[in-house]
Amino acid sequence: MKDSTTKTVNRRGFLGRAGAIGATAVALPTALAACGDKSGAADEEIVGGADYEQGSAELAVQLGDEVEGINYPPDYQGPRARVLEPFGDGETEFTMLGRTIPDLDYATNYYAQHLEETTGVKVAYEPVPLGEDGVTKVNAMLSGGDLPHALMTGMGLFSVSQVAVYGQQGMFLPVDKLIDENAPHIREMFETFPQMRSQFTAPDGRMYAVPTMNDCYHCKSANVRTWYNTTWLEGVGASVPETLEEYDALMTEWDSYSGKPENSVLTVTDADTMMNLFNFFLGSFTEVSSTNLLMRNGKVTWSPTEDAYRDGMIWIQEQFAKGHFAPGTLSLTPEKLKQLGDGSDGPRFGVVSGGSQGSWTAAADMTDPESVARIMQPLPPMAGPGGVRTCDWDWYQIGSPNFVITTSCPDPVQMIRWADYQYELGLTVSMGRGEQGVGWDYSDKGSTGIDGEQAVYEVIPEGANLTNQTWWEWGPSYKSMSQRHGEAVEDGSSSIEPSLFDAGKAYEPYRISQDLKVPMLAFDMEQSAQVGELDTNLQQHLKQSFAQIATGKADFTKDADWTAYVDQFTTIGVDQLLSTYQEAYDAQS
């Protein structure tokens, strides 16, 4: 499998450390030989050379006719229903890594079989589980050099930087020319949303993974979304707090409120997401990002050392001292948090952090007005002492690198076309809802979508049992905001999507501006190694510092404690982190 043209690649341990901090967490791997490198002239005819210009090749494959009778809203931008004819040769069997969950069997899965019938492409799936077990298995696969023909890499398996480095080292094929000539659905997405091409292009100007679009409106505020208990609020006859002063008064009232369940807490979240809760409140003092990085006057900055951030930390310190913030937040597991949410006598918290209802309840029953999922409602950002009222907003959360073709693939054209078909509307919906007419169908004219516009498709409640019918979002698909909001809102629906849309609306007026956010950056191998370790250590120091002020071990009203906290960031290497980010930003912007 190795010949004189084989390039060396550095990959052992590369994947394992990346999961820690997402797109920036790429460790420097050790060198191993690549398997299946196909860098000859014939390949350049298919994938283009190093100087290939994106978008320069003409389409050799045309879009099918649009399916008639689909009701799109006037300003719809997204996948459309089209006639799809099989194109596979029926002989080549492609090997493909795919994520898996309990009860999913690719050999009998509805969507996998539907894809084979629709495309004519035979695929033998190599399943890996979600989480660390899956990372370990993929690490072993990459280290051994025995690559499948393609990999579905969604659900955080690969970061943008990992894809870029693997591609530049000769493991993954560039897909620019493949898309331009053979993927009309993907190319149509790029034309409608140019950032889907630019944001997922590597520093060398090539794209090594097909990006899935998942422009989730409500997800943009998920990192700071916080909820309040309407039952408790009504119990004390109070209004939703608009300021931190009103919040503080409400906590005092709730502390003596006799109507709350026994062993309740006032404000809480689990230890994994405690920074999300803190960032929600810090937004009442200054602009905050979940990465702790902000763009100010073209420069990447570290917000946790700013004076306004200090004011916010002092306020949080006071809330712990008053008992308004539950001390259990520092150690509470997600399972224990759900137990608080699912108490037999109602939720046992007044305010809780979570991207969705599933963060703090195992029984998100949207059909029952008395369920915890309906009792807890989104708490909008509140104004701080200086009138600041902001929240983080994930402007660049539009998708992820979800499909790569390896250098061992015998027919990259069939593989890119297999991916491309899934950017058609019917297949995108079927990926998550199973068979049309069973789990979902197109909506009638006049039905209303999540955003109040004409609905495009509807969920069939009777088809809610989707066991082994679908995939999660680990493969190719095209979920634009219009497509996501095209789901019909039905009376008695169990879907949480409408409630999350409303939650996003509650936060949007207070979102920080896009020019404050550091865009998604792809680092080269050397930069990735630096950023991964530095960011991990800096984030750890920040979390430990919050734990210290929460337990009284540090007091940030004292200059000495604050100075020691700031100096430790310098010792860890925050200046080097900012320099590396600035270098990547300047090169890519």
Side-chain angles (χ1 to χ4, degrees):
M1 299 183 75
K2 179 180 177 182
D3 58 30
S4 59
T5 65
T6 297
K7 304 174 184 178
T8 59
V9 299
N10 299 326
R11 61 180 178 263
R12 185 181 301 274
F14 184 52
L15 184 63
R17 292 183 58 187
I21 54 173
T24 64
V26 182
L28 185 65
T30 56
L32 289 174
C35 174
D37 187 351
K38 298 170 65 179
S39 55
D43 277 349
E44 286 202 1
E45 294 178 7
I46 298 173
V47 303
D51 59 348
Y52 176 75
E53 182 180 349
Q54 291 181 340
S56 61
E58 295 293 327
L59 270 171
V61 176
Q62 301 303 313
L63 289 167
D65 294 335
E66 283 202 37
V67 176
E68 297 181 358
I70 310 300
N71 297 302
Y72 301 99
D75 298 323
Y76 180 84
Q77 290 185 308
R80 292 184 173 267
R82 298 185 183 276
V83 176
L84 301 175
E85 298 290 342
F87 59 84
D89 62 20
E91 298 177 0
T92 306
E93 183 175 73
F94 295 89
T95 55
M96 186 178 304
L97 181 144
R99 315 303 294 277
T100 189
I101 53 177
D103 298 322
L104 187 151
D105 174 21
Y106 278 106
T108 59
N109 177 265
Y110 165 76
Y111 185 64
Q113 293 181 322
H114 182 47
L115 269 182
E116 182 171 331
E117 293 172 0
T118 305
T119 64
V121 176
K122 294 183 180 296
V123 175
Y125 297 93
E126 300 181 10
V128 297
L130 301 179
E132 287 302 314
D133 290 344
V135 169
T136 300
K137 185 169 182 178
V138 176
N139 256 331
M141 180 185 298
L142 297 177
S143 298
D146 187 15
L147 299 177
H149 300 144
L151 299 90
M152 291 190 287
T153 58
M155 306 295 290
L157 187 60
F158 284 169
S159 70
V160 175
S161 292
Q162 285 174 289
V163 168
V165 172
Y166 282 139
Q168 291 164 11
Q169 292 296 317
M171 292 180 68
F172 301 160
L173 291 177
V175 294
D176 314 85
K177 188 179 181 185
L178 283 167
I179 289 172
D180 291 338
E181 292 184 338
N182 306 287
H185 298 91
I186 300 173
R187 185 157 176 167
E188 186 178 58
M189 178 184 71
F190 287 164
E191 291 168 356
T192 306
F193 301 100
Q195 66 271 36
M196 285 299 294
R197 187 162 217 163
S198 60
Q199 187 165 309
F200 295 98
T201 295
D204 67 352
R206 305 304 302 272
M207 179 180 286
Y208 294 100
V210 181
T212 278
M213 186 171 205
N214 188 10
D215 194 6
C216 172
Y217 168 75
H218 70 77
C219 297
K220 298 184 188 306
S221 59
N223 285 335
V224 289
R225 192 170 301 138
T226 304
W227 309 75
Y228 71 93
N229 190 317
T230 59
T231 300
W232 291 16
L233 195 72
E234 294 168 2
V236 298
S239 300
V240 179
E242 297 281 337
T243 67
L244 291 187
E245 185 178 11
E246 292 176 2
Y247 163 86
D248 197 47
L250 179 62
M251 294 302 107
T252 300
E253 285 192 81
W254 276 352
D255 191 33
S256 58
Y257 172 48
S258 61
K260 65 181 184 291
E262 193 174 349
N263 298 320
S264 290
V265 293
L266 300 181
T267 296
V268 71
T269 190
D270 62 67
D272 293 346
T273 58
M274 70 176 189
M275 285 305 304
N276 293 351
L277 179 68
F278 297 156
N279 284 338
F280 169 75
F281 286 103
L282 287 164
S284 299
F285 295 87
T286 185
E287 303 96 344
V288 180
S289 170
S290 61
T291 64
N292 300 305
L293 299 170
L294 291 173
M295 295 298 305
R296 297 196 186 277
N297 300 317
K299 297 298 182 183
V300 183
T301 64
W302 181 254
S303 62
T305 54
E306 296 175 354
D307 289 342
Y309 197 98
R310 178 186 183 180
D311 293 338
M313 293 186 80
I314 291 172
W315 183 88
I316 290 172
Q317 172 181 314
E318 292 170 349
Q319 295 305 306
F320 274 107
K322 292 177 179 180
H324 295 172
F325 280 19
T329 290
L330 303 175
S331 58
L332 201 66
T333 65
E335 293 73 24
K336 291 292 185 182
L337 181 64
K338 287 184 174 67
Q339 289 176 16
L340 289 177
D342 294 329
S344 59
D345 45 2
R348 285 179 282 157
F349 39 62
V351 171
V352 66
S353 177
S356 72
Q357 292 90 335
S359 301
W360 32 262
T361 176
D365 185 0
M366 301 306 297
T367 65
D368 180 7
E370 302 300 318
S371 76
V372 60
R374 296 277 293 274
I375 290 173
M376 302 301 297
Q377 290 294 311
L379 175 63
M382 296 167 285
V388 176
R389 194 175 188 181
T390 69
C391 69
D392 189 16
W393 192 264
D394 201 346
W395 287 94
Y396 295 100
Q397 192 278 320
I398 58 173
S400 56
N402 277 31
F403 184 74
V404 298
I405 303 172
T406 72
T407 51
S408 66
C409 181
D411 190 342
V413 172
Q414 280 199 67
M415 273 288 86
I416 199 68
R417 295 195 64 187
W418 178 89
D420 178 66
Y421 261 35
Q422 294 174 78
Y423 288 70
E424 184 268 342
L425 176 60
L427 283 180
T428 283
V429 179
S430 286
M431 183 192 74
R433 288 300 311 175
E435 185 176 358
Q436 181 183 351
V438 177
W440 70 278
D441 216 333
Y442 291 111
S443 293
D444 295 330
K445 193 173 184 60
S447 59
T448 304
I450 290 171
D451 58 0
E453 299 293 330
Q454 167 66 47
V456 180
Y457 64 96
E458 62 187 26
V459 170
I460 299 175
E462 295 79 7
N465 182 6
L466 301 177
T467 301
N468 204 32
Q469 299 294 299
T470 63
W471 294 350
W472 286 2
E473 294 165 348
W474 50 61
S477 64
Y478 182 7
K479 292 186 174 184
S480 64
M481 195 173 290
S482 291
Q483 188 276 335
R484 290 182 62 99
H485 293 169
E487 179 183 320
V489 177
E490 305 285 348
D491 290 338
S493 171
S494 61
S495 174
I496 66 172
E497 288 294 323
S499 69
L500 294 178
F501 175 80
D502 292 339
K505 282 293 185 184
Y507 280 67
E508 185 175 2
Y510 311 105
R511 63 188 181 184
I512 64 174
S513 63
Q514 186 170 2
D515 59 10
L516 282 169
K517 294 287 287 188
V518 179
M520 185 181 296
L521 301 174
F523 299 100
D524 61 31
M525 188 178 297
E526 182 178 356
Q527 291 171 328
S528 296
Q530 295 172 343
V531 167
E533 183 173 358
L534 286 172
D535 192 85
T536 297
N537 294 335
L538 291 167
Q539 301 291 352
Q540 184 178 20
H541 170 54
L542 183 62
K543 290 179 181 179
Q544 289 174 342
S545 299
F546 272 102
Q548 288 179 326
I549 63 172
T551 56
K553 295 179 180 178
D555 181 357
F556 281 1
T557 64
K558 298 179 179 179
D559 290 343
D561 286 5
W562 174 255
T563 299
Y565 156 84
V566 171
D567 288 348
Q568 184 60 23
F569 284 122
T570 302
T571 301
I572 293 170
V574 68
D575 293 336
Q576 179 61 54
L577 179 85
L578 297 178
S579 176
T580 304
Y581 262 94
Q582 191 71 48
E583 181 182 357
Y585 175 78
D586 291 342
Q588 293 172 231
S589 65

